[in-house]
């Protein structure tokens, strides 16, 4: 299957700082990437859909000014958590859809390994 | 509101047992049902089902979809300790989005 990477895998920061998380599709192009958040023992919650070359679509209740998404190329999307607070501590996971290649399947998403964010 | 409900939420079995995990869904403009296995990190893809009644198999795992009853099951036969994980079911809509269930935590004891 397709490979998606995330960087960093783990980050610890002080309250009030901003953190950028990168999501890359390594062997395919992804017009659409998704950002999820997962709290301990909870399921994945979709935060936003990242569209290459256009603005991201945010789910209800997700602050777009706090969670900035940039999808500048067909292989890279970034999520920046601005002015992070302890309640933003979570496991952030991105996924990408291979929309034309050998891995194509309309809903099939390939997940990155996740980023564990801890805000002190 | 779209939702995906999995049952049971947790399950403890012994090696060699067969387990069945359940998933019911209500997803607007439904297109597919996906199963993922999540261990310590991000989910890994298992199956994607789009048609009713066609079983998909991969080794000891198999899954089937019933679009009339809005239901899917994931079977694991001859379970091994390495099967211990959280199994996530997700319903896919026409926007390409996925709605995840809360998962079933499977623990396989030696």
């Amino acid at each position: 299957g397709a490979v998606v990477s995330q960087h960093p895998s783990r980050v610890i920061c002080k309250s009030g700082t901003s953190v950028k998380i990168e999501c890359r599709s390594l062997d395919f192009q992804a017009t659409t990437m998704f950002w999820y958040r997962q709290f301990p023992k909870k399921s994945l919650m979709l935060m936003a859909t990242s569209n290459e070359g256009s603005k991201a679509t945010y789910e209800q209740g997700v602050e777009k000014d706090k969670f900035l998404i940039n999808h500048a190329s067909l292989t890279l999307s970034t999520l920046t958590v601005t002015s992070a607070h302890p309640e933003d501590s979570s496991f952030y996971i991105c996924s990408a859809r291979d929309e034309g290649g050998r891995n194509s399947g309309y809903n099939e998403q390939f997940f990155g390994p996740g980023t564990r964010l801890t805000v002190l | 509101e779209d939702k995906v409900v999995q049952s049971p939420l947790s399950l403890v079995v012994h090696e060699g047992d067969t387990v069945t995990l359940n998933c019911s869904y209500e997803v607007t403009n439904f297109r597919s049902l996906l199963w993922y296995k999540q261990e310590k990190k991000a989910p890994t893809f298992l199956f994607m089902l789009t048609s009713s009644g066609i079983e998909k198999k991969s080794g000891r795992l198999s899954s089937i979809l019933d679009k009339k009853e809005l239901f899917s099951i994931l079977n694991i036969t001859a379970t091994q300790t390495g099967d211990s994980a959280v199994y996530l079911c997700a319903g896919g809509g026409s926007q390409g989005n996925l709605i995840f269930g809360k998962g079933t935590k499977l623990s396989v004891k030696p």
Side-chain angles (χ1 to χ4, degrees):
Chain A
V3 179
V4 176
S5 71
Q6 264 184 258
H7 177 80
S9 60
R10 189 177 189 111
V11 59
I12 301 173
C13 68
K14 291 184 178 180
S15 184
T17 60
S18 294
V19 175
K20 180 187 281 188
I21 303 170
E22 293 185 348
C23 177
R24 293 183 186 272
S25 56
L26 296 186
D27 52 358
F28 66 100
Q29 294 183 330
T31 305
T32 307
M33 292 185 174
F34 302 87
W35 287 96
Y36 295 85
R37 181 166 53 186
Q38 187 176 34
F39 292 104
K41 299 184 180 180
K42 300 288 185 182
S43 189
L44 283 85
M45 296 298 295
L46 180 64
M47 297 175 66
T49 302
S50 171
N51 304 297
E52 188 270 335
S54 64
K55 290 183 179 180
T57 304
Y58 289 82
E59 295 300 299
Q60 194 172 10
V62 178
E63 298 174 60
K64 62 180 180 181
D65 294 330
K66 179 169 183 63
F67 299 99
L68 301 178
I69 291 173
N70 184 14
H71 194 152
S73 77
L74 287 172
T75 59
L76 173 64
S77 175
T78 60
L79 169 69
T80 301
V81 183
T82 62
S83 187
H85 290 284
E87 56 265 30
D88 298 324
S89 299
S90 187
F91 191 50
Y92 291 85
I93 308 174
C94 75
S95 71
R97 205 168 67 201
D98 183 0
E99 293 164 349
R102 57 189 167 84
N103 300 305
S104 63
Y106 191 76
N107 292 126
E108 188 172 350
Q109 294 178 20
F110 297 92
F111 286 84
T115 297
R116 173 79 58 194
L117 171 64
T118 303
V119 184
L120 302 176
Chain B
E1 184 182 339
D2 292 345
K3 64 180 179 181
V4 173
V5 179
Q6 291 184 246
S7 65
L9 291 180
S10 66
L11 189 56
V12 180
V13 300
H14 288 94
E15 272 192 317
D17 289 350
T18 292
V19 297
T20 298
L21 310 182
N22 305 301
C23 176
S24 64
Y25 64 91
E26 292 177 30
V27 175
T28 306
N29 298 321
F30 173 82
R31 291 192 63 155
S32 54
L33 191 292
L34 293 89
W35 284 96
Y36 289 87
K37 178 181 181 182
Q38 185 175 26
E39 296 172 269
K40 291 185 178 178
K41 292 196 171 179
T44 54
F45 174 79
L46 294 176
F47 298 110
M48 182 171 70
L49 305 157
T50 57
S51 301
S52 273
I54 299 175
E55 185 182 50
K56 289 208 170 182
K57 294 195 73 171
S58 177
R60 296 176 293 103
L61 277 66
S62 63
S63 184
I64 197 163
L65 175 68
D66 184 339
K67 292 171 76 172
K68 183 178 177 183
E69 298 296 327
L70 307 184
F71 192 79
S72 175
I73 60 172
L74 174 69
N75 280 318
I76 308 175
T77 59
T79 51
Q80 302 171 357
T81 55
D83 296 327
S84 297
V86 174
Y87 290 84
L88 295 169
C89 168
S94 61
Q95 303 300 314
N97 56 312
L98 292 178
I99 312 297
F100 280 87
K102 292 184 177 181
T104 293
K105 182 178 181 180
L106 175 65
S107 298
V108 182
K109 303 293 186 185

